[in-house]
Amino acid sequence: GFVSPHPRRAILPLSAGLDSMYSLFRHTDPARPLGSVTADLEAALFIDGVTALASGPASSAALQEKVRECAALRDLPVVVVRTNWEDHVDPFYSHGALLAACITVLSSHFGLGLVGASPPHALLEYPVYGSAPCVDVFYGSAGMEIRSDGADLIRDQKAAALTAYAEALEHISVCTTRGRSARNCGRCEKCIRTMVNFIATGCEIPRAFPMGIDLSRVGKRFRTYMTLKFAAYTIWHGKEMGVRHPAMRRLRRKYIARSIDYALRSAITRCLPWIDLMERDLDYPRWLVLRRARRRLDAARAQQPRVRAGAG
């Protein structure tokens, strides 16, 4: 098969979020304070046509301009790939495959694709997500290696590492409700969670969030297993760092309340099969997924016409 002639030449899908910005600065610092001696990052990749990867419905032009600004901080060119992936599948459950597919298209120029890891190795038990360190590596081949980058750190540790680069803190963009602007609203769940990540490390909130943090919104939307686990790691990290911030206290209270609520609804749903109190969650326990699948199968079988043997 095809073997890449450039095994060290790397390209990075860049969205200006915390994970990809960490990988960008990690692999372009000549001093290599964060490691990565086996990759030569030479270009950034912008994927047009997938709003979920952009953390919200931002216009393509505004987001692309933001990515170019971030890449220019490290003198990297930007390769643009256009796709209609979102018209056919839900990127939330498949964006790891999408990133690998877009990277592999460029295998004649690069031999390594760096995918900024969202869930760390500590979150490998996460059941449903489109990208994971234990899965992304299998999208690679002899012609293009796919590497999940930064999975050794939790989100708070990446935030702490980025504080060494002031230019990164000014351009980071994580907002999910920014509309046609690439600015952070400072009010959505992703903005609040990112600001808390910096607070948990004992650092100041970056200037990319000029409105500051609204304490009433901290921990307000724990709708997925991942956000709940991220909150647990942030609480643990803040405790280890000795951070005593009102945002951390509120996050701890909200996390405890949400965990108790989830446990009670899960227990009632499991003990009383005719009651399902888990509908409002985005992710479900495995036993509940199997129960619902069996019910759908039984319903489908019940609707099938019965074939009677003819009189012979």
Side-chain angles (χ1 to χ4, degrees), residues 245-266:
H245 191 280
M248 299 301 298
R249 291 195 294 270
R250 180 177 172 82
L251 181 66
R252 188 180 300 109
R253 291 196 301 268
K254 287 290 185 178
Y255 171 80
I256 294 174
R258 180 66 175 87
S259 299
I260 294 174
D261 172 73
Y262 184 92
L264 288 175
R265 288 187 292 108
S266 178

PDB file of all heavy atoms in Angstrom, residues 245-266:
ATOM      1  N   HIS A 245     -12.688  29.961  44.922  1.00  0.00           N
ATOM      2  CA  HIS A 245     -13.383  30.955  44.105  1.00  0.00           C
ATOM      3  C   HIS A 245     -14.877  30.673  44.187  1.00  0.00           C
ATOM      4  O   HIS A 245     -15.300  29.513  44.249  1.00  0.00           O
ATOM      5  CB  HIS A 245     -12.892  30.878  42.656  1.00  0.00           C
ATOM      6  CG  HIS A 245     -13.333  32.020  41.800  1.00  0.00           C
ATOM      7  ND1 HIS A 245     -14.599  32.087  41.241  1.00  0.00           N
ATOM      8  CD2 HIS A 245     -12.687  33.150  41.409  1.00  0.00           C
ATOM      9  CE1 HIS A 245     -14.708  33.206  40.536  1.00  0.00           C
ATOM     10  NE2 HIS A 245     -13.574  33.866  40.619  1.00  0.00           N
ATOM     11  N   PRO A 246     -15.716  31.718  44.204  1.00  0.00           N
ATOM     12  CA  PRO A 246     -17.166  31.486  44.255  1.00  0.00           C
ATOM     13  C   PRO A 246     -17.671  30.587  43.135  1.00  0.00           C
ATOM     14  O   PRO A 246     -18.623  29.821  43.340  1.00  0.00           O
ATOM     15  CB  PRO A 246     -17.753  32.905  44.148  1.00  0.00           C
ATOM     16  CG  PRO A 246     -16.665  33.796  44.664  1.00  0.00           C
ATOM     17  CD  PRO A 246     -15.378  33.149  44.277  1.00  0.00           C
ATOM     18  N   ALA A 247     -17.047  30.660  41.968  1.00  0.00           N
ATOM     19  CA  ALA A 247     -17.465  29.814  40.855  1.00  0.00           C
ATOM     20  C   ALA A 247     -17.238  28.340  41.170  1.00  0.00           C
ATOM     21  O   ALA A 247     -18.040  27.480  40.787  1.00  0.00           O
ATOM     22  CB  ALA A 247     -16.720  30.203  39.581  1.00  0.00           C
ATOM     23  N   MET A 248     -16.152  28.019  41.865  1.00  0.00           N
ATOM     24  CA  MET A 248     -15.865  26.629  42.213  1.00  0.00           C
ATOM     25  C   MET A 248     -16.862  26.113  43.251  1.00  0.00           C
ATOM     26  O   MET A 248     -17.298  24.961  43.183  1.00  0.00           O
ATOM     27  CB  MET A 248     -14.437  26.507  42.727  1.00  0.00           C
ATOM     28  CG  MET A 248     -13.367  26.919  41.729  1.00  0.00           C
ATOM     29  SD  MET A 248     -13.432  25.951  40.210  1.00  0.00           S
ATOM     30  CE  MET A 248     -13.120  24.311  40.838  1.00  0.00           C
ATOM     31  N   ARG A 249     -17.227  26.951  44.208  1.00  0.00           N
ATOM     32  CA  ARG A 249     -18.207  26.534  45.214  1.00  0.00           C
ATOM     33  C   ARG A 249     -19.570  26.275  44.572  1.00  0.00           C
ATOM     34  O   ARG A 249     -20.244  25.285  44.894  1.00  0.00           O
ATOM     35  CB  ARG A 249     -18.317  27.592  46.306  1.00  0.00           C
ATOM     36  CG  ARG A 249     -17.070  27.711  47.189  1.00  0.00           C
ATOM     37  CD  ARG A 249     -17.377  28.500  48.440  1.00  0.00           C
ATOM     38  NE  ARG A 249     -17.688  29.892  48.146  1.00  0.00           N
ATOM     39  CZ  ARG A 249     -16.769  30.870  48.091  1.00  0.00           C
ATOM     40  NH1 ARG A 249     -15.490  30.579  48.300  1.00  0.00           N
ATOM     41  NH2 ARG A 249     -17.133  32.105  47.829  1.00  0.00           N
ATOM     42  N   ARG A 250     -19.977  27.149  43.663  1.00  0.00           N
ATOM     43  CA  ARG A 250     -21.265  26.952  43.002  1.00  0.00           C
ATOM     44  C   ARG A 250     -21.222  25.707  42.106  1.00  0.00           C
ATOM     45  O   ARG A 250     -22.194  24.944  42.056  1.00  0.00           O
ATOM     46  CB  ARG A 250     -21.626  28.181  42.171  1.00  0.00           C
ATOM     47  CG  ARG A 250     -22.954  28.036  41.450  1.00  0.00           C
ATOM     48  CD  ARG A 250     -23.337  29.283  40.689  1.00  0.00           C
ATOM     49  NE  ARG A 250     -24.510  29.063  39.870  1.00  0.00           N
ATOM     50  CZ  ARG A 250     -25.760  29.109  40.300  1.00  0.00           C
ATOM     51  NH1 ARG A 250     -26.010  29.396  41.570  1.00  0.00           N
ATOM     52  NH2 ARG A 250     -26.770  28.903  39.479  1.00  0.00           N
ATOM     53  N   LEU A 251     -20.108  25.501  41.413  1.00  0.00           N
ATOM     54  CA  LEU A 251     -19.988  24.326  40.563  1.00  0.00           C
ATOM     55  C   LEU A 251     -20.101  23.047  41.385  1.00  0.00           C
ATOM     56  O   LEU A 251     -20.762  22.086  40.972  1.00  0.00           O
ATOM     57  CB  LEU A 251     -18.646  24.355  39.818  1.00  0.00           C
ATOM     58  CG  LEU A 251     -18.380  23.184  38.864  1.00  0.00           C
ATOM     59  CD1 LEU A 251     -19.358  23.212  37.695  1.00  0.00           C
ATOM     60  CD2 LEU A 251     -16.943  23.222  38.352  1.00  0.00           C
ATOM     61  N   ARG A 252     -19.501  23.048  42.556  1.00  0.00           N
ATOM     62  CA  ARG A 252     -19.563  21.862  43.415  1.00  0.00           C
ATOM     63  C   ARG A 252     -21.005  21.594  43.868  1.00  0.00           C
ATOM     64  O   ARG A 252     -21.467  20.444  43.855  1.00  0.00           O
ATOM     65  CB  ARG A 252     -18.651  22.047  44.625  1.00  0.00           C
ATOM     66  CG  ARG A 252     -18.485  20.800  45.483  1.00  0.00           C
ATOM     67  CD  ARG A 252     -17.574  21.048  46.654  1.00  0.00           C
ATOM     68  NE  ARG A 252     -16.236  21.464  46.222  1.00  0.00           N
ATOM     69  CZ  ARG A 252     -15.743  22.692  46.359  1.00  0.00           C
ATOM     70  NH1 ARG A 252     -16.474  23.635  46.936  1.00  0.00           N
ATOM     71  NH2 ARG A 252     -14.540  22.982  45.949  1.00  0.00           N
ATOM     72  N   ARG A 253     -21.712  22.633  44.253  1.00  0.00           N
ATOM     73  CA  ARG A 253     -23.099  22.453  44.684  1.00  0.00           C
ATOM     74  C   ARG A 253     -23.967  21.948  43.537  1.00  0.00           C
ATOM     75  O   ARG A 253     -24.792  21.038  43.719  1.00  0.00           O
ATOM     76  CB  ARG A 253     -23.664  23.773  45.225  1.00  0.00           C
ATOM     77  CG  ARG A 253     -23.054  24.230  46.537  1.00  0.00           C
ATOM     78  CD  ARG A 253     -23.916  25.298  47.179  1.00  0.00           C
ATOM     79  NE  ARG A 253     -24.085  26.450  46.316  1.00  0.00           N
ATOM     80  CZ  ARG A 253     -23.301  27.529  46.330  1.00  0.00           C
ATOM     81  NH1 ARG A 253     -22.275  27.576  47.178  1.00  0.00           N
ATOM     82  NH2 ARG A 253     -23.537  28.539  45.539  1.00  0.00           N
ATOM     83  N   LYS A 254     -23.812  22.521  42.360  1.00  0.00           N
ATOM     84  CA  LYS A 254     -24.600  22.112  41.208  1.00  0.00           C
ATOM     85  C   LYS A 254     -24.271  20.677  40.798  1.00  0.00           C
ATOM     86  O   LYS A 254     -25.161  19.908  40.400  1.00  0.00           O
ATOM     87  CB  LYS A 254     -24.350  23.071  40.038  1.00  0.00           C
ATOM     88  CG  LYS A 254     -24.993  24.427  40.209  1.00  0.00           C
ATOM     89  CD  LYS A 254     -26.510  24.320  40.107  1.00  0.00           C
ATOM     90  CE  LYS A 254     -27.175  25.678  40.161  1.00  0.00           C
ATOM     91  NZ  LYS A 254     -28.646  25.578  40.005  1.00  0.00           N
ATOM     92  N   TYR A 255     -23.002  20.317  40.882  1.00  0.00           N
ATOM     93  CA  TYR A 255     -22.596  18.964  40.523  1.00  0.00           C
ATOM     94  C   TYR A 255     -23.215  17.936  41.467  1.00  0.00           C
ATOM     95  O   TYR A 255     -23.729  16.898  41.023  1.00  0.00           O
ATOM     96  CB  TYR A 255     -21.068  18.861  40.555  1.00  0.00           C
ATOM     97  CG  TYR A 255     -20.559  17.449  40.398  1.00  0.00           C
ATOM     98  CD1 TYR A 255     -20.490  16.853  39.143  1.00  0.00           C
ATOM     99  CD2 TYR A 255     -20.147  16.714  41.510  1.00  0.00           C
ATOM    100  CE1 TYR A 255     -20.038  15.557  38.997  1.00  0.00           C
ATOM    101  CE2 TYR A 255     -19.686  15.413  41.362  1.00  0.00           C
ATOM    102  CZ  TYR A 255     -19.632  14.846  40.100  1.00  0.00           C
ATOM    103  OH  TYR A 255     -19.178  13.556  39.973  1.00  0.00           O
ATOM    104  N   ILE A 256     -23.189  18.223  42.760  1.00  0.00           N
ATOM    105  CA  ILE A 256     -23.776  17.295  43.735  1.00  0.00           C
ATOM    106  C   ILE A 256     -25.277  17.156  43.502  1.00  0.00           C
ATOM    107  O   ILE A 256     -25.827  16.040  43.487  1.00  0.00           O
ATOM    108  CB  ILE A 256     -23.487  17.772  45.169  1.00  0.00           C
ATOM    109  CG1 ILE A 256     -21.973  17.693  45.452  1.00  0.00           C
ATOM    110  CG2 ILE A 256     -24.263  16.941  46.179  1.00  0.00           C
ATOM    111  CD1 ILE A 256     -21.576  18.282  46.786  1.00  0.00           C
ATOM    112  N   ALA A 257     -25.956  18.290  43.292  1.00  0.00           N
ATOM    113  CA  ALA A 257     -27.399  18.253  43.072  1.00  0.00           C
ATOM    114  C   ALA A 257     -27.744  17.490  41.793  1.00  0.00           C
ATOM    115  O   ALA A 257     -28.677  16.679  41.766  1.00  0.00           O
ATOM    116  CB  ALA A 257     -27.950  19.673  43.005  1.00  0.00           C
ATOM    117  N   ARG A 258     -26.979  17.720  40.728  1.00  0.00           N
ATOM    118  CA  ARG A 258     -27.244  17.046  39.449  1.00  0.00           C
ATOM    119  C   ARG A 258     -26.959  15.552  39.557  1.00  0.00           C
ATOM    120  O   ARG A 258     -27.684  14.725  38.997  1.00  0.00           O
ATOM    121  CB  ARG A 258     -26.394  17.666  38.349  1.00  0.00           C
ATOM    122  CG  ARG A 258     -26.591  17.029  36.976  1.00  0.00           C
ATOM    123  CD  ARG A 258     -27.992  17.271  36.455  1.00  0.00           C
ATOM    124  NE  ARG A 258     -28.130  16.761  35.107  1.00  0.00           N
ATOM    125  CZ  ARG A 258     -28.462  15.504  34.805  1.00  0.00           C
ATOM    126  NH1 ARG A 258     -28.694  14.636  35.777  1.00  0.00           N
ATOM    127  NH2 ARG A 258     -28.575  15.126  33.556  1.00  0.00           N
ATOM    128  N   SER A 259     -25.907  15.174  40.284  1.00  0.00           N
ATOM    129  CA  SER A 259     -25.572  13.763  40.450  1.00  0.00           C
ATOM    130  C   SER A 259     -26.659  13.027  41.227  1.00  0.00           C
ATOM    131  O   SER A 259     -27.041  11.900  40.879  1.00  0.00           O
ATOM    132  CB  SER A 259     -24.223  13.625  41.159  1.00  0.00           C
ATOM    133  OG  SER A 259     -23.182  14.219  40.408  1.00  0.00           O
ATOM    134  N   ILE A 260     -27.169  13.662  42.282  1.00  0.00           N
ATOM    135  CA  ILE A 260     -28.245  13.042  43.064  1.00  0.00           C
ATOM    136  C   ILE A 260     -29.506  12.902  42.214  1.00  0.00           C
ATOM    137  O   ILE A 260     -30.178  11.863  42.226  1.00  0.00           O
ATOM    138  CB  ILE A 260     -28.524  13.870  44.335  1.00  0.00           C
ATOM    139  CG1 ILE A 260     -27.314  13.818  45.275  1.00  0.00           C
ATOM    140  CG2 ILE A 260     -29.770  13.365  45.039  1.00  0.00           C
ATOM    141  CD1 ILE A 260     -27.442  14.721  46.483  1.00  0.00           C
ATOM    142  N   ASP A 261     -29.823  13.943  41.468  1.00  0.00           N
ATOM    143  CA  ASP A 261     -31.002  13.912  40.600  1.00  0.00           C
ATOM    144  C   ASP A 261     -30.882  12.794  39.565  1.00  0.00           C
ATOM    145  O   ASP A 261     -31.832  12.029  39.339  1.00  0.00           O
ATOM    146  CB  ASP A 261     -31.157  15.264  39.910  1.00  0.00           C
ATOM    147  CG  ASP A 261     -32.247  15.252  38.853  1.00  0.00           C
ATOM    148  OD1 ASP A 261     -33.427  15.236  39.225  1.00  0.00           O
ATOM    149  OD2 ASP A 261     -31.900  15.271  37.648  1.00  0.00           O
ATOM    150  N   TYR A 262     -29.713  12.680  38.954  1.00  0.00           N
ATOM    151  CA  TYR A 262     -29.492  11.646  37.937  1.00  0.00           C
ATOM    152  C   TYR A 262     -29.607  10.252  38.557  1.00  0.00           C
ATOM    153  O   TYR A 262     -30.226   9.344  37.984  1.00  0.00           O
ATOM    154  CB  TYR A 262     -28.118  11.842  37.308  1.00  0.00           C
ATOM    155  CG  TYR A 262     -27.812  10.899  36.172  1.00  0.00           C
ATOM    156  CD1 TYR A 262     -28.105  11.256  34.853  1.00  0.00           C
ATOM    157  CD2 TYR A 262     -27.224   9.661  36.401  1.00  0.00           C
ATOM    158  CE1 TYR A 262     -27.826  10.396  33.802  1.00  0.00           C
ATOM    159  CE2 TYR A 262     -26.936   8.799  35.358  1.00  0.00           C
ATOM    160  CZ  TYR A 262     -27.239   9.169  34.066  1.00  0.00           C
ATOM    161  OH  TYR A 262     -26.960   8.315  33.036  1.00  0.00           O
ATOM    162  N   ALA A 263     -29.011  10.068  39.743  1.00  0.00           N
ATOM    163  CA  ALA A 263     -29.042   8.760  40.404  1.00  0.00           C
ATOM    164  C   ALA A 263     -30.472   8.359  40.781  1.00  0.00           C
ATOM    165  O   ALA A 263     -30.865   7.202  40.607  1.00  0.00           O
ATOM    166  CB  ALA A 263     -28.148   8.778  41.635  1.00  0.00           C
ATOM    167  N   LEU A 264     -31.265   9.304  41.281  1.00  0.00           N
ATOM    168  CA  LEU A 264     -32.645   9.001  41.670  1.00  0.00           C
ATOM    169  C   LEU A 264     -33.495   8.634  40.462  1.00  0.00           C
ATOM    170  O   LEU A 264     -34.238   7.643  40.486  1.00  0.00           O
ATOM    171  CB  LEU A 264     -33.252  10.194  42.407  1.00  0.00           C
ATOM    172  CG  LEU A 264     -32.732  10.457  43.828  1.00  0.00           C
ATOM    173  CD1 LEU A 264     -33.342  11.745  44.381  1.00  0.00           C
ATOM    174  CD2 LEU A 264     -33.062   9.282  44.743  1.00  0.00           C
ATOM    175  N   ARG A 265     -33.390   9.423  39.401  1.00  0.00           N
ATOM    176  CA  ARG A 265     -34.183   9.123  38.207  1.00  0.00           C
ATOM    177  C   ARG A 265     -33.765   7.803  37.586  1.00  0.00           C
ATOM    178  O   ARG A 265     -34.593   7.037  37.073  1.00  0.00           O
ATOM    179  CB  ARG A 265     -34.065  10.258  37.204  1.00  0.00           C
ATOM    180  CG  ARG A 265     -34.811  11.521  37.626  1.00  0.00           C
ATOM    181  CD  ARG A 265     -34.838  12.600  36.573  1.00  0.00           C
ATOM    182  NE  ARG A 265     -33.514  13.168  36.328  1.00  0.00           N
ATOM    183  CZ  ARG A 265     -32.800  12.948  35.239  1.00  0.00           C
ATOM    184  NH1 ARG A 265     -33.260  12.155  34.286  1.00  0.00           N
ATOM    185  NH2 ARG A 265     -31.616  13.499  35.086  1.00  0.00           N
ATOM    186  N   SER A 266     -32.467   7.519  37.621  1.00  0.00           N
ATOM    187  CA  SER A 266     -31.977   6.257  37.078  1.00  0.00           C
ATOM    188  C   SER A 266     -32.486   5.073  37.898  1.00  0.00           C
ATOM    189  O   SER A 266     -32.911   4.046  37.339  1.00  0.00           O
ATOM    190  CB  SER A 266     -30.447   6.267  37.049  1.00  0.00           C
ATOM    191  OG  SER A 266     -29.931   5.050  36.562  1.00  0.00           O
TER     192      SER A 266
END
